[in-house]
Amino acid sequence: MTVPSYDGALAEFSALRTEIDSRSKYQQQILSLQLTLTTALFGLGLAKPVPLGVLLVIPLTSYLLCGRYVAQRSAIRWASRYISEQLSPRVPDGLGWSAWVARNRRPDRLIDWYLPMLICFPGASLLALCWTLRLVFVPGHRSGWATTGLVIVWLAGLFAAAGCGYLVSRVFRDRSPAAPSNS
């Protein structure tokens, strides 16, 4: 009779935990980049004589960074789910990590995760759009093409802000970190 080996499952678990840790660090780097970039652009956009239109970059960069942030979170969830559903059953007594996380959720996700993400990504975008509203839609000393271009960029920023809001709310609605293991 051969004894089943679970060394492979443990090695996979170790590799996946390393990947999860790495992706968590990427998330923090993305968040730091978003905060730094937004602060710098607001500072630049509010300085004189730099045009206020530089703020129109914020919704677009916020959307791109929000997408990367959410992609890292999704990859973490997939790895956690794989650990729970595929690796844990292959190890005697299971691994238990994902199931433990699912059982021990922090109840205050609204205040400690969701609201800060709404402020950081779509909130900064909406603030920039509101700040530039007058610049874009009040007639000034611009040609028709310049006005049309600003309106198009502003509308693209509005769609990007909506996309950020959707991405963040979709992640928030997904309450569990991974499907808990039956073992």
Side-chain angles (χ1 to χ4, degrees):
M1 174 177 266
T2 62
V3 176
S5 173
Y6 50 90
D7 290 342
L10 292 176
E12 253 187 289
F13 174 76
S14 178
L16 285 171
R17 283 299 308 146
T18 300
E19 181 177 341
I20 288 170
D21 291 343
S22 176
R23 289 183 179 275
S24 292
K25 289 176 188 170
Y26 290 149
Q27 275 189 307
Q28 292 308 308
Q29 290 171 352
I30 291 166
L31 184 60
S32 295
L33 180 58
Q34 169 66 6
L35 294 172
T36 302
L37 183 63
T38 301
T39 302
L41 287 173
F42 268 112
L44 184 63
L46 299 177
K48 302 293 182 203
V50 177
L52 200 57
V54 75
L55 294 178
L56 291 174
V57 173
I58 291 174
L60 302 174
T61 59
S62 292
Y63 174 72
L64 295 173
L65 291 171
C66 183
R68 295 310 314 144
Y69 184 91
V70 170
Q72 295 303 319
R73 186 176 188 286
S74 295
I76 290 169
R77 286 190 34 73
W78 278 100
S80 297
R81 190 169 184 174
Y82 181 80
I83 289 168
S84 177
E85 293 177 2
Q86 302 296 318
L87 295 181
S88 188
R90 292 175 25 202
V91 175
D93 294 328
L95 295 169
W97 177 79
S98 295
W100 182 88
V101 169
R103 285 190 312 270
N104 293 288
R105 297 286 304 165
R106 290 189 332 236
D108 55 354
R109 286 185 60 199
L110 176 69
I111 301 219
D112 74 348
W113 185 86
Y114 185 60
L115 289 178
M117 290 300 105
L118 280 178
I119 292 168
C120 185
F121 292 107
S125 299
L126 290 175
L127 181 61
L129 290 171
C130 289
W131 214 296
T132 58
L133 193 62
R134 191 169 141 230
L135 167 75
V136 173
F137 291 103
V138 173
H141 302 289
R142 293 184 305 267
S143 70
W145 289 109
T147 300
T148 302
L150 279 175
V151 169
I152 289 170
V153 171
W154 193 91
L155 290 173
L158 185 62
F159 284 115
C164 285
Y166 171 75
L167 287 172
V168 171
S169 66
R170 190 183 77 193
V171 169
F172 181 72
R173 282 192 313 258
D174 186 13
R175 294 242 175 236
S176 64
S181 173
N182 293 335
S183 56

